[in-house]
Amino acid sequence: AAKSAGGAGCRFFEPEMDARMQERRKVELELRRALALKQFELFYQPQIDLGTGKVEGFEALLRWHADEGLMSPASFIPIAEETGLISQIGAWVLRTACMQAAKWKRPASVAVNLSPLQFRGSDLVQTVMSALSHSGLDPERLELEITEGALLEDTDLVISTLNSLRAIGVRVSMDDFGTGYSSLSYLQKFPFDKIKIDQSFVQRMQHSGEASAIVRAVTRLGVSLGMRTAAEGVETEEQLEAIRAEGCDQVQGYLTGKPMTNSDAAALLSE
Ligand code: C2E
Ligand code: MG
Ligand code: MG
Ligand code: MG
């Protein structure tokens, strides 16, 4: 409204900018409070091995029980990144995921998302090692998911971080593959264990020959680079069959299991 109020330029933008900054600051304070008040919770979504049909592991997905209700990470992770709070929140996620997974009756794997800033932080490897040692979780059971955004700058640093993580014994997955840029060269350059094909391709497969071709190409590439492939966002039997036909190793989606509480995940593993 401020913009259409008149053509006098900058002056009219200021209140808007101010409002946005104030909103950020408000959320920042609320996020700090959330950590202190233990308003965060991890949900777990099953990852199914297509070879055996069994639950191989879970992806940990952060939930915030804010005063206003349940908040999705897509809405607050960007603010946590901008304000630097992501390192504290991320450390909490790592610690909690490792501790909860260590108590599951079956040694399923647990996948934790890292934001680009977290991945490039100088204390990442230390934070991961301390989460592992405090929980006693076998490093082989921990998987870290990073998006292409984490790979944009300083290739040498990225490779050395990936190698340090692999030296500890944890695995690293490329998340949301296909949504960023120069994806193919990234795959060759960086030592990932798994490629997670973004749900947008999976969901377009039935209607788009191109989406199917991309899923097929990535799956083949995974085979030749020695990386496993997973399909995200599988919602229907038809999508599952299409994914199976392309030879993906793993699926994750509402069809095979929605994100659930830790106690439901633990119960699923005890069945
Ligand atoms: P992601 O890592 O790609 O996680 C998958 C997202 O897809 C999750 O959304 C999940 O609930 C959703 N999903 C799973 N199956 C289906 C399906 O069949 N259909 C549809 N439409 N969606 C499906 P969620 O939990 O809202 O998380 C959104 C994003 O927030 C995540 O995307 C991840 O990038 C980020 N995120 C979540 N937890 C964390 C965290 O602990 N740390 C960081 N840094 N980022 C996180
Ligand atoms: Mg993920
Ligand atoms: Mg993803
Ligand atoms: Mg995503």
Side-chain angles (χ1 to χ4, degrees):
K3 260 187 283 185
S4 56
C10 279
R11 203 153 58 84
F12 291 95
F13 281 100
E14 278 166 13
E16 246 179 52
M17 293 279 281
D18 222 49
R20 247 192 54 202
M21 296 263 286
Q22 274 174 23
E23 175 63 19
R24 293 270 124 141
R25 210 155 289 151
K26 179 170 156 263
V27 176
E28 178 184 359
L29 287 174
E30 286 173 351
L31 283 172
R32 276 187 204 287
R33 240 179 101 239
L35 272 169
L37 297 180
K38 306 194 194 321
Q39 290 182 332
F40 289 119
E41 180 179 5
L42 293 181
F43 273 33
Y44 292 94
Q45 185 177 32
Q47 300 179 318
I48 314 294
D49 177 11
L50 279 178
T52 63
K54 293 224 166 76
V55 176
E56 238 186 309
F58 293 88
E59 176 173 5
L61 295 161
L62 185 57
R63 297 293 179 261
W64 174 17
H65 301 279
D67 300 339
E68 298 84 23
L70 195 64
M71 302 275 281
S72 127
S75 69
F76 65 84
I77 292 281
I79 299 176
E81 276 232 308
E82 277 177 43
T83 55
L85 272 174
I86 192 67
S87 60
Q88 279 176 66
I89 296 173
W92 180 88
V93 170
L94 270 166
R95 256 197 334 266
T96 306
C98 289
M99 253 153 49
Q100 294 184 327
K103 291 186 181 133
W104 294 339
K105 292 276 184 292
R106 193 149 67 68
S109 62
V110 64
V112 171
N113 291 285
L114 299 181
S115 81
L117 208 77
Q118 226 185 327
F119 181 74
R120 286 188 257 121
S122 56
D123 55 350
L124 174 70
V125 176
Q126 191 50 52
T127 307
V128 170
M129 289 192 345
S130 109
L132 288 168
S133 68
H134 277 96
S135 61
L137 187 78
D138 179 353
E140 319 252 294
R141 291 177 56 198
L142 178 62
E143 218 170 278
L144 300 173
E145 298 192 358
I146 62 175
T147 52
E148 288 163 77
L151 310 177
L152 288 182
E153 286 156 38
D154 202 345
T155 304
D156 290 344
L157 179 72
V158 170
I159 293 179
S160 93
T161 303
L162 288 173
N163 286 332
S164 305
L165 291 170
R166 289 162 63 102
I168 307 171
V170 306
R171 284 168 293 155
V172 188
S173 305
M174 168 92 284
D175 200 359
D176 299 348
F177 183 73
T179 56
Y181 347 52
S182 50
S183 320
L184 293 182
S185 66
Y186 281 171
L187 282 185
Q188 198 190 26
K189 230 177 346 203
F190 301 112
F192 291 109
D193 298 280
K194 187 195 284 180
I195 310 166
K196 296 186 75 177
I197 302 170
D198 190 69
Q199 60 181 45
S200 57
F201 301 107
V202 175
Q203 287 160 8
R204 285 202 309 260
M205 277 177 88
Q206 285 153 274
H207 312 287
S208 152
E210 277 167 41
S212 300
I214 289 171
V215 171
R216 183 169 313 152
V218 174
T219 307
R220 301 249 163 99
L221 198 66
V223 171
S224 51
L225 294 174
M227 299 175 188
R228 300 185 77 209
T229 48
E232 300 193 84
V234 174
E235 293 180 352
T236 67
E237 290 291 348
E238 289 74 20
Q239 288 165 358
L240 179 62
E241 283 326 305
I243 283 300
R244 201 195 293 282
E246 297 306 346
C248 281
D249 299 300
Q250 198 182 59
V251 285
Q252 178 182 344
Y254 293 164
L255 179 71
T256 49
K258 291 198 168 163
M260 58 186 82
T261 62
N262 175 51
S263 64
D264 285 345
L268 189 65
L269 287 174
S270 305
E271 268 171 17

